[in-house]
C-alpha cells in the first residue's frame, strides 16, 4: 500500500519539473519585459522583476502599429481555421465512411506528406502563389495552410468513432449524404473540430516564415512578423523586444486557457 502513494508522489514530481521547464522561458521573458533595472543576461537569471514598470509595453505601442498587426493576425487566423475545418472535414468524411476505389491509396498519399518538413513546400507554394497573382495578399498567406494531413487524420478518426447504425438509420429515413455530414456527423465530432481549430489558430498566429516570404507591405504584416521591427528599431533594448514578444504570446495563451476543456476532450478521442 505504501508503494502507491510513493508512485503518485513521483508522478506529480515529474509533472512539476516538466511544468517548470515549460513555463520558465515565458516567465523569464515576462520578467525581462516588466523590469527596468539589472542585467538581462545575468547568470543565474533573475526570477523576479526589478523596479517593475509597464514602460516597455508602452514603448512597443509607440514604436510599431501593433493594433494593426494584431488585426491582421486575427484575420489570418480566423480565415485559416474556418477553411481548414471546412475542407479537411469534407476530405476526412469520405475517407472514413465511404467505400470507393483507391480510398486506401489516397489516404496513404496523404499520410506520406507527413514525412516532409513544411519548409520543403515553400518553393512550390511560392511559385504557385506567384502564378495565381496572390503575392502580397492574405489569400496567399492562408491558402497553403488550409489543408494538412494531420487535420485530415484527426477528423477521419473522429468520424470513425461515430456508430455506423446512426448513419444507417439516417439513410433509411431518406437523409442525403450532405445532410448526414452536416447535420449529424459534424455536431457529433465537435470536440475534435475544436481541437483542430485550436491547433490551427495557434499555428497560424505564430507563423513567421511563410508570411514574411509572401508579404512585403509592412502595414499588412501579421503580429508575428511585425513585432520583429522592434529588433531593428531597438537593437540594444532587449526589454522592449521581450515586451513585444509577451504581447504576441498572450492572445494564444488566453485562447487556450478558455478552450482547454474542448481541446482535452478532442485529444482524448484522438488517442482512443
Amino acid at each position: 500500500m505504501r508503494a502507491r502513494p510513493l508512485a503518485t508522489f513521483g508522478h506529480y514530481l515529474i509533472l512539476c519539473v516538466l511544468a517548470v521547464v515549460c513555463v520558465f522561458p515565458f516567465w523569464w521573458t515576462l520578467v525581462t519585459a516588466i523590469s527596468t533595472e539589472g542585467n538581462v543576461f545575468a547568470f543565474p537569471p533573475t526570477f523576479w522583476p526589478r523596479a517593475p514598470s509597464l514602460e516597455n509595453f508602452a514603448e512597443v505601442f509607440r514604436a510599431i502599429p501593433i493594433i494593426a498587426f494584431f488585426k491582421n493576425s486575427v484575420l489570418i487566423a480566423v480565415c485559416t481555421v474556418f477553411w481548414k475545418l471546412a475542407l479537411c472535414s469534407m476530405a476526412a468524411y469520405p475517407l472514413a465512411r465511404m467505400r470507393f476505389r483507391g480510398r486506401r491509396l489516397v489516404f496513404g498519399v496523404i499520410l506520406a506528406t507527413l514525412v516532409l518538413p513544411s519548409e520543403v513546400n515553400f518553393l512550390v507554394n511560392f511559385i504557385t502563389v506567384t502564378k495565381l497573382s496572390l503575392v502580397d495578399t492574405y489569400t496567399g498567406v492562408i491558402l497553403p495552410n488550409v489543408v494538412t494531413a494531420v487535420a485530415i487524420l484527426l477528423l477521419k478518426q473522429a468520424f470513425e468513432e461515430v456508430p455506423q447504425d446512426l448513419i444507417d438509420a439516417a439513410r433509411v429515413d431518406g437523409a442525403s449524404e450532405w445532410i448526414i455530414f452536416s447535420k449529424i456527423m459534424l455536431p457529433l465530432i465537435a470536440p475534435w473540430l475544436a481541437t483542430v481549430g485550436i491547433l490551427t489558430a495557434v499555428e497560424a498566429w505564430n507563423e513567421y516564415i511563410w508570411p514574411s516570404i509572401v508579404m512585403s507591405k509592412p502595414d499588412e504584416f501579421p503580429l508575428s512578423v511585425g513585432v520583429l521591427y522592434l529588433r531593428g528599431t531597438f537593437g540594444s533594448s532587449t526589454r522592449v523586444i521581450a515586451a513585444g514578444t509577451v504581447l504576441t504570446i498572450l492572445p494564444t495563451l488566453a485562447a487556450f486557457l478558455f478552450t482547454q476543456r474542448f481541446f482535452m476532450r478532442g485529444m482524448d478521442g484522438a488517442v482512443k
Side-chain angles (χ1 to χ4, degrees):
M1 296 296 293
R2 185 177 298 179
R4 182 172 297 178
L6 290 176
T8 302
F9 174 78
H11 293 161
Y12 277 104
L13 180 62
I14 294 173
L15 291 175
C16 289
V17 171
L18 292 175
V20 170
V21 172
C22 294
V23 171
F24 175 75
F26 175 75
W27 177 251
W28 182 85
T29 305
L30 179 61
V31 169
T32 303
I34 63 179
S35 298
T36 57
E37 296 179 359
N39 184 3
V40 174
F41 301 104
F43 186 82
T46 302
F47 297 101
W48 196 254
R50 297 180 180 178
S53 172
L54 297 179
E55 179 59 27
N56 294 323
F57 292 93
E59 194 64 47
V60 172
F61 282 89
R62 288 193 293 266
I64 60 176
I66 193 169
I67 300 299
F69 293 156
F70 180 84
K71 292 179 180 179
N72 296 338
S73 290
V74 171
L75 175 63
I76 292 173
V78 169
C79 292
T80 303
V81 170
F82 173 80
W83 285 110
K84 177 171 282 190
L85 292 181
L87 296 178
C88 289
S89 61
M90 287 190 287
Y93 177 70
L95 290 173
R97 290 301 185 180
M98 296 182 180
R99 299 293 180 265
F100 56 90
R101 182 175 299 178
R103 181 172 65 95
R104 292 184 178 180
L105 176 61
V106 172
F107 186 59
V109 172
I110 293 174
L111 289 182
T113 61
L114 290 174
V115 303
L116 297 175
S118 59
E119 290 77 7
V120 173
N121 300 322
F122 282 168
L123 179 58
V124 176
N125 289 338
F126 184 75
I127 294 174
T128 304
V129 168
T130 302
K131 294 294 184 180
L132 295 175
S133 300
L134 297 177
V135 177
D136 277 336
T137 64
Y138 293 126
T139 304
V141 177
I142 296 168
L143 188 61
N145 299 317
V146 294
V147 177
T148 61
V150 174
I152 294 175
L153 176 61
L154 287 175
L155 295 179
K156 177 179 178 296
Q157 292 177 335
F159 284 126
E160 289 175 345
E161 293 287 333
V162 179
Q164 182 63 36
D165 294 342
L166 187 62
I167 301 175
D168 294 337
R171 287 173 178 163
V172 170
D173 290 338
S176 64
E177 209 65 48
W178 174 254
I179 294 296
I180 294 174
F181 168 72
S182 60
K183 302 296 185 181
I184 299 176
M185 301 296 283
L186 288 183
L188 290 176
I189 66 165
W192 289 270
L193 292 173
T195 299
V196 174
I198 294 170
L199 292 175
T200 302
V202 172
E203 181 183 2
W205 187 273
N206 295 327
E207 183 69 37
Y208 165 71
I209 298 179
W210 179 245
S212 64
I213 293 175
V214 177
M215 309 294 289
S216 62
K217 300 177 181 178
D219 57 336
E220 297 181 355
F221 282 166
L223 188 57
S224 59
V225 179
V227 77
L228 289 185
Y229 272 100
L230 296 172
R231 186 176 59 182
T233 307
F234 297 93
S236 59
S237 182
T238 306
R239 301 188 192 281
V240 177
I241 297 175
T245 303
V246 171
L247 292 174
T248 304
I249 296 173
L250 284 180
T252 55
L253 183 62
F256 178 77
L257 290 177
F258 284 107
T259 59
Q260 61 176 328
R261 65 189 184 95
F262 300 104
F263 178 80
M264 297 307 298
R265 286 176 59 190
M267 290 305 295
D268 180 65
V271 171
K272 288 181 180 180

